[in-house]
Amino acid sequence: MLPRLPTSPCLREKSAPQASCGVMLAMLAIVTMVTACVTACTGTIGGEDGEDGPNAPTSGVQSGDETDVDCGGASAPKCTIGKKCKANGDCTTSNCIEGICKDPTGLDGIKNGDESDVDCGGSTTGAPRCGTGKTCGTAEDCESHVCDPTAKTCKAPTSTDGVKNGDETDVDCGGSSTSAPKCDVGKSCAAHSDCTLDGCDDTKHCANGRSCTQYNGGRSCGVGEEGATGAMHESCCGALPIPNGTTKLDKYKITAGRMRAFIERVNGDVLGWYESNKATLPASAQAQIEAYKAYLPSDRTTFPLGSDYQLGSTIYLPQRPSKTQGCGVGNAASPAYGSHTFHNGSLESEDFAFDQNFRDRLPLNCVPYPILAAFCAWDGGRLETFDEHANAFGTAPFPWGATPIAGGFNNFPDENGPYTQVGPANAGAGNPLGPCPSCDTTLLNWAHTYQVPEGGDPKKPWDYAYWISPPGRFPMDKGPAGHMDIGGLMMEITASTAENDTTTDYTGQQVTQTMVRWSKNGSWEVHAMGNLQWKFAFMTKYGKTGGRCARD
């Protein structure tokens, strides 16, 4: 741009010398002509370039090296989204695609928007979180959720950073990438292996027992029927100390659902599981199984020892504990009027009135000793002894004390009544029950005091599962330390052995087996509590006998 010349003194002062004024006017004419030429050619007269000339960034036209009207190039402001551009530097978004300024994205190879590093961090571009070592502004910019406050870079996830990161399933636990420990009960999980007790339940939280990962039979124990107002259900796992000892006994009897969790996890191959894991089992648990392992199932459906036969209506010792065991359900053509609570589908051609969910909530029955002992070992414990159960029952006539006196109903020989109120429930062996109109029939499931649904299924009356209450439904029936159904519902198989018994098996052959003792509590079918003589060969199955695990 040519400099502006001062106004000629010849034009300001009348007294200026005429000769010098003539020279100066001639020079001024030449400058004016040159300026006019420059102005026409370059458009720069009237101020510095970019101030108020045609090339100024506010001229309203695209000029100079601008890529769009008044934007882009070296001097003008950057162009906004939708304006023309030649390079990323022309755009406020630093994102020039095919000659147009575009929105910033998390895939454009540029640090733009509010990204903390190239295509990562921030929230406006849809970019992912930044990996280890990338620049960050806050923890939210980082995959690990940890931004080094000094270096302003994302840190690698660790098992001690107080954050759920890597493949952890909860804060600093679960997964494998950070070498975090397993998660405690109640923490989030993705697989059984994420949990200290090896049980990730159906809500993706670590269960308080390996076998309590499902609702039915896993979290359905306690007071109140399903869907009833005020029902208070909880995990069917969990153990309570036995009075005057350090050993714990499960609060509830083993449910059919808990046994199902075991069978499904090992796919029926209980023997294979035992052989693979026995070296890691406590000596007390191993001792309860080793001598009986030949009777453990290797699959689910091979007759006669497949797990679903062992837990179904199949009877191995037809004369033990009596000539009828009450394990068969049957069907219309051959009604059995009994019930095994483990639902095994159509394996034994039975027509169930109550489905698997219903049965899984019930205590397990019709189970021989070996598979029951294996279950407790798999579940992290061992089978209870006779004395452990007796100590949990307490020294009083009933688990709750001497009074009130519990009673029930004797409906034999007619299954449909009339019902006579009888008692007391603690009559023991050899003491015939008599009428007891003053006995309380609401205290425990003994002698037909429970029916849900009432009357069962009239279309399938041969299924007796409705007499059997889920664990915990009778809040009075608990021992001094809180063990539920310790007096009624079902007798329990223990690991306490007795002498041998010789009897006939299902093939007609004579067999000799060690006997195991049953607990002293009564059952839903009139067996009175206080009988200290129950003991039967270890493959005995009975519809009124289940089990409970102990924990050292």
Side-chain angles (χ1 to χ4, degrees):
M1 178 181 289
L2 294 175
R4 295 180 183 272
L5 296 177
T7 304
S8 171
C10 296
L11 300 178
R12 297 196 312 265
E13 301 177 14
K14 295 180 179 181
S15 60
Q18 292 302 309
S20 60
C21 283
V23 174
M24 292 182 66
L25 289 171
M27 291 177 62
L28 182 59
I30 294 172
V31 169
T32 300
M33 292 171 59
V34 172
T35 299
C37 178
V38 171
T39 299
C41 296
T42 66
T44 57
I45 197 69
E48 295 289 337
D49 189 22
E51 292 178 2
D52 55 6
N55 280 356
T58 57
S59 63
V61 295
Q62 180 181 345
S63 56
D65 63 352
E66 293 173 350
T67 59
D68 208 317
V69 176
D70 294 339
C71 70
S75 301
K78 295 180 182 295
C79 296
T80 56
I81 295 169
K83 298 289 188 177
K84 292 181 290 185
C85 56
K86 293 182 179 179
N88 290 333
D90 293 327
C91 303
T92 56
T93 61
S94 299
N95 192 25
C96 180
I97 298 177
E98 297 180 350
I100 300 295
C101 291
K102 300 287 187 177
D103 280 316
T105 73
L107 299 172
D108 53 23
I110 306 164
K111 178 184 177 299
N112 50 16
D114 63 351
E115 294 171 348
S116 61
D117 209 314
V118 175
D119 288 345
C120 70
S123 60
T124 62
T125 68
R129 299 180 190 275
C130 296
T132 302
K134 295 289 188 178
T135 302
C136 54
T138 69
E140 293 304 306
D141 292 327
C142 303
E143 290 176 352
S144 66
H145 298 277
V146 181
C147 179
D148 188 307
T150 302
K152 290 298 181 182
T153 55
C154 294
K155 299 183 70 173
T158 72
S159 62
T160 59
D161 54 21
V163 180
K164 177 184 176 295
N165 50 22
D167 65 352
E168 294 171 350
T169 59
D170 211 308
V171 176
D172 291 342
C173 72
S176 59
S177 65
T178 67
S179 300
K182 295 180 182 295
C183 296
D184 291 332
V185 174
K187 297 288 188 178
S188 296
C189 54
H192 297 311
S193 58
D194 292 322
C195 303
T196 55
L197 298 181
D198 193 40
C200 182
D201 72 20
D202 52 5
T203 70
K204 295 303 179 184
H205 291 86
C206 290
N208 71 331
R210 199 177 191 185
S211 60
C212 286
T213 54
Q214 69 294 327
Y215 174 76
N216 294 304
R219 300 189 303 277
S220 57
C221 293
V223 179
E225 300 305 328
E226 292 298 313
T229 301
M232 294 181 291
H233 296 164
E234 63 177 349
S235 174
C236 298
C237 292
L240 301 171
I242 299 172
N244 304 316
T246 58
T247 298
K248 292 183 177 181
L249 196 63
D250 280 5
K251 181 177 181 178
Y252 298 108
K253 298 179 193 290
I254 300 163
T255 63
R258 291 176 64 190
M259 176 60 80
R260 183 176 304 283
F262 172 42
I263 296 303
E264 290 181 348
R265 287 279 295 271
V266 303
N267 197 27
D269 189 7
V270 178
L271 177 60
W273 168 82
Y274 173 70
E275 293 289 17
S276 297
N277 293 275
K278 67 180 180 180
T280 65
L281 297 177
S284 57
Q286 189 177 152
Q288 293 181 354
I289 304 170
E290 183 65 23
Y292 310 94
K293 66 181 182 181
Y295 295 86
L296 295 176
S298 296
D299 62 24
R300 297 192 66 165
T301 58
T302 298
F303 185 83
L305 292 179
S307 63
D308 289 25
Y309 283 108
Q310 291 204 33
L311 301 168
S313 62
T314 295
I315 299 299
Y316 302 103
L317 303 176
Q319 296 181 17
R320 298 291 183 270
S322 64
K323 292 183 179 180
T324 57
Q325 292 75 31
C327 289
V329 175
N331 51 46
S334 181
Y337 298 104
S339 189
H340 55 88
T341 56
F342 186 91
H343 195 293
N344 60 357
S346 61
L347 182 66
E348 296 173 304
S349 301
E350 295 181 295
D351 188 5
F352 298 102
F354 307 101
D355 64 13
Q356 179 180 308
N357 289 340
F358 182 99
R359 304 179 102 82
D360 277 353
R361 294 193 290 268
L362 305 181
L364 181 71
N365 66 353
C366 299
V367 55
Y369 166 84
I371 194 173
L372 193 63
F375 165 82
C376 285
W378 174 84
D379 203 45
R382 57 171 175 78
L383 194 60
E384 66 181 334
T385 67
F386 180 88
D387 288 341
E388 287 166 346
H389 183 278
N391 290 337
F393 183 103
T395 58
F398 296 100
W400 55 84
T403 57
I405 297 174
F409 301 100
N410 185 357
N411 66 325
F412 291 105
D414 187 348
E415 297 287 348
N416 297 313
Y419 295 98
T420 301
Q421 192 162 316
V422 296
N426 64 334
N431 297 313
L433 298 173
C436 187
S438 62
C439 286
D440 192 332
T441 61
T442 66
L443 302 176
L444 75 169
N445 188 356
W446 178 77
H448 309 97
T449 58
Y450 179 90
Q451 295 184 57
V452 173
E454 186 172 354
D457 183 348
K459 295 182 179 179
K460 300 179 181 180
W462 49 82
D463 189 344
Y464 273 15
Y466 68 100
W467 293 103
I468 305 171
S469 54
R473 295 300 191 262
F474 288 81
M476 279 292 290
D477 187 9
K478 65 180 177 182
H483 299 94
M484 303 304 297
D485 302 302
I486 203 74
L489 183 52
M490 285 185 184
M491 297 165 285
E492 299 174 17
I493 297 172
T494 79
S496 298
T497 57
E499 66 273 21
N500 289 340
D501 177 33
T502 299
T503 186
T504 302
D505 71 7
Y506 66 101
T507 68
Q509 301 294 313
Q510 280 210 330
V511 294
T512 298
Q513 294 184 358
T514 301
M515 291 192 289
V516 292
R517 298 186 68 183
W518 293 0
S519 62
K520 70 174 187 176
N521 56 309
S523 83
W524 60 269
E525 197 189 57
V526 193
H527 299 90
M529 67 178 70
N531 189 334
L532 306 181
Q533 307 305 314
W534 294 119
K535 52 186 177 180
F536 296 97
F538 63 78
M539 286 301 287
T540 300
K541 296 172 60 176
Y542 197 41
K544 296 87 189 174
T545 305
R548 194 183 303 246
C549 301
R551 319 276 167 173
D552 294 315

